[in-house]
Amino acid sequence: MVGGGQLARMTHQAAIALGQTLRVLAVDAGDPAAQVSPDVVLGTHTDLDALRRAASGADALTFDHEHVPAELLEKLLADGVNVAPPPSALIHAQDKLVMRRRLEALGAPVPRFAAVDDLSDIDAFAARIEGPVVVKTVRGGYDGRGVTLAGDLAEAREAAQRYLDGGADVMVEERVAMRRELAALVARSPFGQGAAWPVVETVQRDGICVEVIAPAPGLDDELRSAAGQLGLRLASELGVVGVLAVELFETVEGALLVNELAMRPHNSGHWTMDGAQTSQFEQHLRAVLDYPLGDTAQVVPVTVMANVLGAQQAPAMAMDERLHHLFARMPDAKVHLYGKAERPGRKIGHVNVLGAPAGSLDDDAFVADVRERAARAAHWLSHAEWTDGWDPHE
């Protein structure tokens, strides 16, 4: 797996159960996956020699991020390496403009968009759609980076100029009036087998996913089915091998629009580690190794994942002691820590809370309770503060 982050770390955990060893191409021996894998190659994803060393003798080469240049992956293919997903698919997760154009050609629902070569393109697009715009770098960017939700035309022009001056390719999209964000997570094997998990709701704050509710509550059955089928169709049409996350907008009119694609395990699928019959990490390995895919059914009516984000000021209480207190109060919380140093806003772990089997997705109070408990657990691990003011010593 190219990349030594938390996705590779959790994929390695799944590999152990399958009798496999995940070799990791990591930048540093202290990277999350490098801490736990016995087979680590140190190097960068832009170094062909490092990529070749990582791929040597491996059954498949896969990714915990999409940043490996396509030309290097083509050279690995020429070497006979099994690259999964192949670069012909991965380009749609690397280049937003390529993705938008291909999805539009496939008839998939996407926001209106345009390439930006100079600022006059921003003016023309804004005049055409007669509404607010979003300015994006075509490549790179994640967790809100490389994206500007422009308040007006002047801000859109300023953002585009800043990105262009930085050497980035730029595009502009309409700013969608949306009810919420959803994600359809699917997997596809080289044999062409596909599997889809329940569609989830994702909650963003400052461009970072903070919470996932699985399945998405209050979602029309027709939209739920359409989102899952769209994910499976795109995986097939694009030739994906492995997990594909299709990030979606549910518009205020009740339609779906594709926002982003990711061809790897994804934050929106972390709930599957405890809330589904097969986790996204095991499924990704099954897919790239061409095993039959696993059952994607949920094991309880509702699972909520809350990200543990580094606090503005790291607590004096050590994480081990925070865990002690959390488990004493919430023994059902499923904690997954990434071995990362705490920094403000940094994803250092996540918590899954499973709702009681007797609960119902249609019960708003039940869903709200599971969400509150997940958020409370994650906030405690981040801040060493209980959101409800609870004090065990009182």
Side-chain angles (χ1 to χ4, degrees), residues 135-316:
V135 183
K136 295 182 175 181
T137 56
V138 169
R139 287 176 172 264
Y142 62 95
D143 287 346
R145 300 182 184 95
V147 177
T148 298
L149 305 179
D152 54 30
L153 184 58
E155 186 179 355
R157 289 171 59 90
E158 187 276 329
Q161 190 65 64
R162 185 173 69 252
Y163 293 147
L164 289 167
D165 289 346
D169 292 329
V170 177
M171 62 182 291
V172 64
E173 294 181 350
E174 64 178 316
R175 186 168 178 177
V176 175
M178 64 175 177
R179 179 185 172 207
R180 57 179 169 177
E181 295 190 55
L182 305 171
L185 194 73
V186 303
R188 181 179 178 273
S189 73
F191 182 70
Q193 184 188 12
W197 286 271
V199 176
V200 303
E201 178 178 348
T202 65
V203 180
Q204 322 291 321
R205 186 182 306 133
D206 299 326
I208 299 175
C209 177
V210 295
E211 183 182 357
V212 173
I213 308 112
L219 183 60
D220 176 81
D221 287 342
E222 192 172 314
L223 273 190
R224 193 182 300 278
S225 176
Q229 289 302 315
L230 177 62
L232 290 169
R233 181 167 78 89
L234 291 181
S236 177
E237 294 276 10
L238 301 179
V240 173
V241 175
V243 165
L244 168 69
V246 182
E247 297 181 55
L248 298 159
F249 296 135
E250 180 185 358
T251 70
V252 293
E253 292 85 11
L256 295 175
L257 293 174
V258 177
N259 179 28
E260 302 278 2
L261 300 179
M263 295 183 191
R264 51 171 170 77
H266 189 257
N267 204 165
S268 67
H270 289 351
W271 71 274
T272 64
M273 297 176 76
D274 303 294
Q277 294 285 357
T278 306
S279 80
Q280 65 166 343
F281 300 101
E282 178 183 337
Q283 195 82 299
H284 187 73
L285 289 172
R286 288 198 191 205
V288 301
L289 296 172
D290 208 7
Y291 293 158
L293 299 181
D295 185 353
T296 53
Q298 64 208 59
V299 299
V300 293
V302 175
T303 300
V304 176
M305 186 283 306
N307 274 323
V308 180
L309 305 176
Q312 284 301 117
Q313 174 99 30

Side-chain angles (χ1 to χ4, degrees), residues 299-303 332 353-361 366-367 369-370 373:
V299 299
V300 293
V302 175
T303 300
D332 61 327
V353 172
L354 279 63
S360 170
L361 183 65
F366 171 73
V367 174
D369 178 67
V370 182
R373 288 192 290 129

Side-chain angles (χ1 to χ4, degrees), residues 35-160:
Q35 296 173 21
V36 298
S37 175
D39 193 352
V40 179
V41 173
L42 293 179
T44 70
H45 62 273
T46 56
D47 181 343
L48 180 59
D49 177 64
L51 290 166
R52 282 177 165 151
R53 283 186 286 125
S56 177
D59 294 294
L61 182 79
T62 190
F63 312 93
D64 100 332
H65 62 72
E66 292 101 347
H67 306 313
V68 183
E71 59 270 21
L72 299 187
L73 295 179
E74 293 290 351
K75 290 179 180 178
L76 294 180
L77 282 180
D79 292 344
V81 175
N82 174 19
V83 179
S88 57
L90 192 64
I91 187 64
H92 300 93
Q94 295 175 319
D95 188 305
K96 297 179 180 68
L97 199 52
V98 168
M99 179 265 288
R100 283 281 182 262
R101 287 168 172 161
R102 181 69 187 282
L103 265 55
E104 187 176 56
L106 291 173
V110 296
R112 289 175 290 177
F113 67 94
V116 175
D117 296 316
D118 58 55
L119 297 187
S120 64
D121 296 322
I122 294 265
D123 299 339
F125 181 78
R128 175 160 64 90
I129 69 163
E130 298 181 333
V133 302
V134 181
V135 183
K136 295 182 175 181
T137 56
V138 169
R139 287 176 172 264
Y142 62 95
D143 287 346
R145 300 182 184 95
V147 177
T148 298
L149 305 179
D152 54 30
L153 184 58
E155 186 179 355
R157 289 171 59 90
E158 187 276 329

